[in-house]
Amino acid sequence: MPGGACESVYAFIDQELGLSEAEEFRLHLVKCESCHARIVDAWTIDSVARRVMGPVKKAQAAGEGFPLRWRLVPAGALAGVAAMAVAVVSNLYSASRQVDPAVYAPFAYRIAEGRLTTPDADLYRRYESPAKKATLGEGPVSPLPPLVELSKLEKRGEYLGLAAAFLQRGKAKDAMDFADQAGASARSDSDKAAIYLFQAKPDEALELADRALSKQPDLVQAKWNRALALRELEALALAARMFEEVAQQKEPGWSDEAAREAAELQQKLSRRREAFQKNADACTRMQAGGEPIPSAVAAAAPGHARECLEQVLGNKPSPERAEVLLPLALQLDALDGNPGLSDSIRRLRSAAPAQAAAPDPWSALLAVEKASAQELASGRVAVAIHRMTETLSDRCADHPAPPRPMDLRCVELRRQLAHTLSMEHKPVEARTQALQAMRLAQRIGAWEQERHLLEDLGQIARHSDSAWLVRGYLEEVLERERGATNCDIQDFAHGNLALMYQRALDFPRARHEVEVARGCRAAKTPYSTLLMVEAELARIYPPTPEETAAFQERLAALRASAPRNRSARWMADHAEGRYFLEVQPQMGEALLRRTIRDAEATPDDVAAVKARAWSYTSLILEAGKRGRYDQAFQLFVEEMGLPRAPQRCVLGVTVDDERTLTIIRDADGDVRGRYDASRKSPLKDAAGLVPPELVSALRACKSVDVMARTPLQGTPGMLPTDMAWGFLTGVSHDAPPVPPKRLVVTGAKPPSELGLEPLVPYLMPADTQAAEVLQDDAATPSRVLEAMTMATEIRIHGHGVLDGAVSDAAYVALSPDREGRFALTAGEVRKASLKGRPVVVVIACQTSRAAPYQHEPLSLPVAFIQGGARIVFAAASTIPNDEASRFFEPLLGRLRTGQNPAVALMEARATWKSNGGRSEWVDDVLMFRGEAE
């Protein structure tokens, strides 16, 4: 065997060696772990290839009785694996069907902390973190998987067993591949949770563990995995309770470890709670004239100590009392690196007139908090966000221990920023800020701020429809408050849980959360969330007069408690109208109309925009429920701000919880509709949303305009692909004609850290008229936005990206400009002034996808229409790079002849399919247009 025996492994697999060479290699293979590893890799590659490519059959050779997988030939490489397996393993499949438990236990300990549901893989072994072992220079070297045993598992279809074998060797990707083959079940969900935990993805692990427990509430492995996920998400009290439930099962080994985990978590929480309480008690004594907060107590929670001392000094104590407080002030000043407190005390002790002092770090941060709050109250949200972000970057960067007093102000400012970002529907950014604040709060002993941040994280998760995180964070709040009677906390937590269940269409549980919250005495500061849920539940559970009176009292309390809170006021106005729409319809309609009118006077206020949209939702669906389809149709037109109602060939559709309303105006101008309230689970897609009889009635139309309210705007499948239709998104503003100008954006070079594959530049037909081409480093967002201004036809070719940290809607990744900006976002495009009223083709994957808003449609296509575009084409799925121009160029050619855009798209699809083109992606190309003024 020339070049060494190991180089012959693939020739051996492919049966390319002669008889003597093959025999020589067999003898070598018995002793060579490297060759064995290559064969195992081939086995794994074959498994993945079979799942991706499907089987490629080959005539059976020596392995006649072997499973089909050994007769597959992915990419022509594994033809002889069956014969090799016979030679190496000696009649491997005639061995006992009993799998050796050692397949799941390559080490004396386990390297995956999560639990697996395959019984032999769930035998207890102590946990040792691979990272810790590696730090000590003792990292485990994974032994080769026992090929015989793995083959037995696969032959029997025990994919979760295969997943367990690979996970215990640290091969999480392979483990997930096999777990995916196991099908949907509580066991597979729980095992996937364990895999996500190994990959340090607690969010995903919690979702899968919750899903497993919803299917099988007594699945102990899922409880264990949920406890681990909660622990990693800092929901320590709830994690401890889950571990206690596991400990009660009295399982050998597992129960002891669960009990230890529960005890450690409870001790950690107790220490933090007790340190905070010591500081609070010492503060009370100091405020009453007693001794200053002891040095050790102040060092454990310096921010709270400073806050307390500020309150005492604000009451202007006597010089003698100020002298007693000086050591505490000096201690806290030393931590902040600024003599602010001690200078205040020296001024109190001096008989000289007080002089204004320069603000210290604490005071400066507090001033930013107050200024930002004023800007938010006056609607200058962008200014407030910029101010808070810049201040946090300048003053609150990470630093080593010990904690400083000013850190408490950093926590509060970051929390304020997180709340603002959440209200602005930026959940990814909001959660990042809240988690940073949480880590700092834990380090500086800010116990109350921890609880507030858990509430914030729960609310942020609700805004992003992450139900498992909502439950995790808010149940943690309630667990920490178990036995307490703080009704404000009960109101907030149960209100958000109720809203989560309402959106999941689990109305009984939503009602239960409302009733639990109402079982507490009246909250001092009612939250609008619970009142909003009460208003929605009024249609499911008709309220009694007593319940209505109580609702009005809570509504009045909310308005009285937050007279300057614009958001609370808008939510109260909408909730009142929504509630009375069920109790006294005429009164409810009048209240909702008033809310809409008032909201339209403040179009830049996000809360007002929400109140307006939700009020229209209530009015439209109420009209549909009562069969007033003409009225509902007019409300669609009114909300969109169309200059005139479409006279024929239009579809209006909206959904809300369990309700759907579809309305058409057919080719004869007749209005008809259908209201349905039978949905049992949240809407996933538009398939079957429009009733067949309404689809049939629209077939007489040459083309159909679809008025789809959020969240349906930009969703494919609204009507069949053999019909000509497109989305009507609003008003397209007129502009004076400009000379024809074509713009092509292609060949962008996004930042490498995005991990995007290079795209072949867009192929322009030879007979294409001259166009301005922005390519390579010139294809930056700033250059593109500038060039689009006067363009009459725009092609944007690039990668479409869904990343909430950059944009709530899909964006196109371009080349970075000088400032590092690389994303062409819907937010930027909607501000553009497209004077050429262009036809726009966005040739990037998934760019028709809208932001997950409940109050307005925001996507790149909608943004282009708002910026002045006439027609926009975009796709809801992946566009093959090598097929893009072959589809879109003929489509644009049809438009240049004056063809109706919706008809052009339909015919372009039909031509493409008749010529053998793939239909999957062209069916997801959607058309958007605006109604001319």
Side-chain angles (χ1 to χ4, degrees):
M1 290 180 286
C6 287
E7 295 183 8
S8 300
V9 63
Y10 296 114
F12 176 77
I13 289 173
D14 289 337
Q15 296 180 321
E16 295 175 355
L17 298 180
L19 292 176
S20 61
E21 291 176 324
E23 184 59 30
E24 183 182 348
F25 183 81
R26 288 188 185 95
L27 295 173
H28 166 80
L29 182 60
V30 172
K31 302 176 181 178
C32 182
E33 288 193 356
S34 176
C35 288
H36 191 182
R38 295 188 195 186
I39 291 171
V40 170
D41 285 343
W43 185 87
T44 304
I45 291 168
D46 175 48
S47 175
V48 174
R50 182 166 67 91
R51 297 194 297 275
V52 174
M53 300 170 59
V56 181
K57 295 186 178 180
K58 181 166 180 168
Q60 295 180 1
E64 180 72 28
F66 285 37
L68 176 61
R69 68 143 23 263
W70 295 101
R71 304 194 298 276
L72 304 181
V73 193
L78 298 176
V81 172
M84 175 278 299
V86 172
V88 176
V89 187
S90 295
N91 199 20
L92 112 104
Y93 286 105
S94 64
S96 168
R97 290 175 60 84
Q98 180 64 40
V99 176
D100 185 349
V103 73
Y104 306 116
F107 314 112
Y109 49 88
R110 71 186 198 276
I111 64 172
E113 193 173 11
R115 288 183 64 173
L116 299 157
T117 59
T118 298
D120 284 345
D122 197 41
L123 297 176
Y124 181 77
R125 286 168 292 132
R126 75 182 189 282
Y127 169 65
E128 293 286 352
S129 165
K132 179 180 178 182
K133 284 282 186 180
T135 302
L136 298 174
E138 302 172 359
V141 178
S142 175
L144 298 170
L147 193 58
V148 177
E149 309 305 323
L150 295 179
S151 299
K152 292 177 185 177
L153 288 170
E154 189 180 25
K155 187 176 183 181
R156 299 206 297 264
E158 294 184 12
Y159 294 109
L160 292 181
L162 287 163
F166 278 91
L167 183 63
Q168 296 295 10
R169 288 164 174 78
K171 299 181 183 298
K173 184 178 184 303
D174 293 318
M176 188 63 81
D177 285 341
F178 284 113
D180 284 339
Q181 292 186 80
S185 69
R187 285 188 58 211
S188 64
D189 286 341
S190 181
D191 284 4
K192 288 179 185 178
I195 298 169
Y196 278 129
L197 287 167
F198 186 83
Q199 295 174 314
K201 297 178 179 179
D203 294 24
E204 293 90 336
L206 182 61
E207 179 183 10
L208 270 295
D210 273 5
R211 189 187 301 170
L213 290 169
S214 70
K215 297 172 182 175
Q216 188 176 336
D218 61 346
L219 187 60
V220 68
Q221 292 88 355
K223 289 184 178 182
W224 176 278
N225 293 337
R226 185 171 196 257
L228 291 176
L230 290 166
R231 184 194 68 188
E232 296 306 304
L233 292 168
E234 297 297 336
L236 305 188
L238 194 55
R241 179 156 67 82
M242 295 298 299
F243 277 123
E244 287 174 345
E245 290 185 21
V246 174
Q248 291 169 5
Q249 301 300 311
K250 305 300 181 186
E251 299 172 288
W254 292 115
S255 289
D256 291 339
E257 185 173 329
R260 288 194 301 272
E261 281 284 346
E264 289 175 8
L265 294 175
Q266 288 165 345
Q267 289 169 8
K268 185 182 291 187
L269 286 171
S270 294
R271 286 193 295 269
R272 296 214 295 259
R273 186 187 293 111
E274 289 168 4
F276 171 78
Q277 193 59 50
K278 283 182 180 179
N279 201 302
D281 293 343
C283 173
T284 300
R285 290 192 295 271
M286 183 172 72
Q287 288 175 330
E291 64 178 10
I293 297 173
S295 175
V297 174
H304 290 298
R306 161 109 195 208
E307 199 167 46
C308 184
L309 184 56
E310 289 269 5
Q311 293 169 356
V312 173
L313 296 178
N315 292 327
K316 300 194 178 338
S318 66
E320 295 76 17
R321 178 60 176 166
E323 182 73 27
V324 174
L325 299 173
L326 182 59
L328 175 61
L330 290 168
Q331 176 191 358
L332 297 174
D333 279 348
L335 292 171
D336 264 347
N338 187 283
L341 284 170
S342 50
D343 282 352
S344 296
I345 288 180
R346 291 188 182 97
R347 287 193 296 272
L348 286 170
R349 293 163 56 200
S350 172
Q355 296 180 351
D360 60 24
W362 173 284
S363 301
L365 284 166
L366 187 59
V368 172
E369 284 181 57
K370 293 178 179 178
S372 299
Q374 291 173 352
E375 287 161 352
L376 291 170
S378 62
R380 292 180 291 167
V381 179
V383 175
I385 290 175
H386 178 75
R387 180 192 295 272
M388 289 185 281
T389 302
E390 289 293 309
T391 302
L392 287 165
S393 177
D394 292 343
R395 295 182 175 270
C396 296
D398 290 340
H399 64 89
R404 308 167 299 183
M406 66 176 283
D407 288 334
L408 181 62
R409 298 267 62 89
C410 291
V411 168
E412 291 289 11
L413 184 60
R414 202 174 290 280
R415 181 173 168 248
Q416 186 180 50
L417 175 58
H419 178 76
T420 304
L421 291 169
S422 179
M423 293 299 101
E424 289 296 299
H425 290 275
K426 299 184 182 297
V428 176
E429 297 171 46
R431 188 171 182 229
T432 298
Q433 295 294 336
L435 288 172
Q436 288 186 41
M438 172 70 83
R439 288 190 288 270
L440 184 56
Q442 291 170 345
R443 192 157 63 83
I444 66 173
W447 177 256
E448 281 194 338
Q449 279 68 24
E450 273 194 59
R451 192 255 298 164
H452 290 313
L453 284 161
L454 287 167
E455 293 175 337
D456 294 341
L457 285 164
Q459 195 167 44
I460 291 166
R462 180 174 61 74
H463 287 163
S464 57
D465 291 328
S466 302
W468 58 97
L469 288 175
V470 178
R471 281 191 59 207
Y473 286 124
L474 295 183
E475 288 179 0
E476 171 72 8
V477 171
L478 295 171
E479 185 69 21
R480 292 191 185 193
E481 294 294 319
R482 184 184 286 188
T485 56
N486 187 321
C487 290
D488 289 338
I489 294 175
Q490 298 280 328
D491 191 85
F492 178 89
H494 288 294
N496 278 278
L497 287 169
L499 183 54
M500 178 197 75
Y501 288 124
Q502 174 206 319
R503 289 184 176 171
L505 310 191
D506 190 343
F507 299 118
R509 293 182 76 175
R511 188 185 193 190
H512 171 74
E513 295 294 337
V514 171
E515 290 173 346
V516 170
R518 296 308 178 219
C520 202
R521 61 175 174 74
K524 294 179 182 177
T525 308
Y527 289 94
S528 60
T529 302
L530 200 58
L531 289 166
M532 292 279 285
V533 177
E534 281 191 89
E536 289 296 328
L537 291 179
R539 74 171 182 273
I540 308 295
Y541 306 102
T544 65
E546 293 77 16
E547 289 171 332
T548 297
F551 175 82
Q552 289 178 294
E553 288 180 12
R554 290 189 287 272
L555 202 63
L558 172 62
R559 285 177 168 139
S561 66
R564 299 175 64 183
N565 187 327
R566 296 161 66 98
S567 178
R569 190 195 63 151
W570 286 119
M571 294 306 100
D573 288 351
H574 169 71
E576 182 179 28
R578 177 71 196 90
Y579 186 93
F580 279 97
L581 198 62
E582 304 298 333
V583 179
Q584 299 178 31
Q586 289 184 336
M587 176 182 175
E589 183 174 345
L591 289 169
L592 291 169
R593 281 288 189 183
R594 186 186 68 186
T595 299
I596 290 170
R597 184 177 62 252
D598 293 347
E600 288 175 341
T602 54
D604 295 329
D605 188 317
V606 173
V609 172
K610 291 178 182 178
R612 177 184 183 272
W614 296 341
S615 295
Y616 267 115
T617 298
S618 297
L619 290 173
I620 289 170
L621 285 165
E622 180 67 12
K625 177 182 176 181
R626 297 179 180 278
R628 300 170 183 167
Y629 297 126
D630 284 297
Q631 179 185 351
F633 181 83
Q634 188 58 43
L635 286 165
F636 269 94
V637 174
E638 181 184 306
E639 182 188 23
M640 291 181 70
L642 299 180
R644 64 195 69 83
Q647 296 304 301
R648 59 185 55 81
C649 296
V650 62
L651 164 68
V653 58
T654 188
V655 297
D656 184 58
D657 291 341
E658 82 286 7
R659 300 174 293 168
T660 302
L661 176 64
T662 48
I663 300 174
I664 68 166
R665 176 165 270 177
D666 62 21
D668 295 326
D670 295 331
V671 175
R672 64 179 92 173
R674 180 174 169 185
Y675 172 85
D676 181 83
S678 63
R679 189 180 299 110
K680 300 300 181 185
S681 60
L683 186 73
K684 299 297 183 185
D685 55 50
L689 194 66
V690 182
E693 65 271 19
L694 298 186
V695 174
S696 297
L698 289 171
R699 284 196 174 274
C701 294
K702 180 180 178 182
S703 66
V704 179
D705 282 325
V706 176
M707 299 187 296
R709 300 181 74 248
T710 185
L712 297 172
Q713 180 72 258
T715 303
M718 203 69 64
L719 287 172
T721 57
D722 64 349
M723 293 178 64
W725 65 276
F727 289 102
L728 179 59
T729 65
V731 177
S732 180
H733 301 289
D734 285 331
V738 300
K741 176 189 174 184
R742 295 176 181 175
L743 171 67
V744 177
V745 180
T746 187
K749 298 179 179 179
S752 59
E753 54 266 28
L754 295 180
L756 301 173
E757 294 290 332
L759 292 177
V760 176
Y762 188 75
L763 182 62
M764 300 290 292
D767 59 350
T768 301
Q769 293 182 10
E772 179 182 3
V773 179
L774 293 178
Q775 191 169 354
D776 300 330
D777 292 337
T780 66
S782 54
R783 291 282 301 276
V784 170
L785 288 166
E786 179 183 4
M788 289 193 314
T789 302
M790 302 303 293
T792 56
E793 185 179 283
I794 301 172
R795 304 174 187 83
I796 299 178
H797 174 236
H799 278 291
V801 180
L802 290 166
D803 182 355
V806 177
S807 172
D808 291 338
Y811 68 88
V812 180
L814 300 176
S815 302
D817 56 23
R818 290 181 179 178
E819 293 76 29
R821 184 179 59 165
F822 62 87
L824 183 67
T825 67
E828 292 176 316
V829 169
R830 78 194 305 185
K831 298 174 186 175
S833 178
L834 305 180
K835 297 180 174 62
R837 299 195 67 234
V839 172
V840 181
V841 182
V842 185
I843 310 163
C845 303
Q846 304 186 75
T847 43
S848 79
R849 299 292 186 182
Y853 294 171
Q854 297 292 322
H855 63 284
E856 66 170 336
L858 176 62
S859 65
L860 271 173
V862 172
F864 269 109
I865 297 296
Q866 292 172 336
R870 206 162 35 90
I871 303 293
V872 181
F873 295 96
S877 60
T878 301
I879 301 175
N881 189 43
D882 59 340
E883 299 181 2
S885 94
R886 289 192 286 121
F887 176 79
F888 286 111
E889 288 306 313
L891 172 60
L892 285 169
R894 292 174 183 274
L895 264 63
R896 293 185 198 118
T897 66
Q899 192 171 12
N900 177 298
V903 174
L905 177 58
M906 178 191 68
E907 292 185 354
R909 284 197 194 109
T911 300
W912 177 265
K913 294 175 186 178
S914 67
N915 291 333
R918 289 183 290 178
S919 64
E920 294 86 356
W921 72 272
V922 297
D923 285 346
D924 285 346
V925 175
L926 304 174
M927 188 273 285
F928 302 77
R929 79 172 186 89
E931 181 71 26
E933 290 178 314

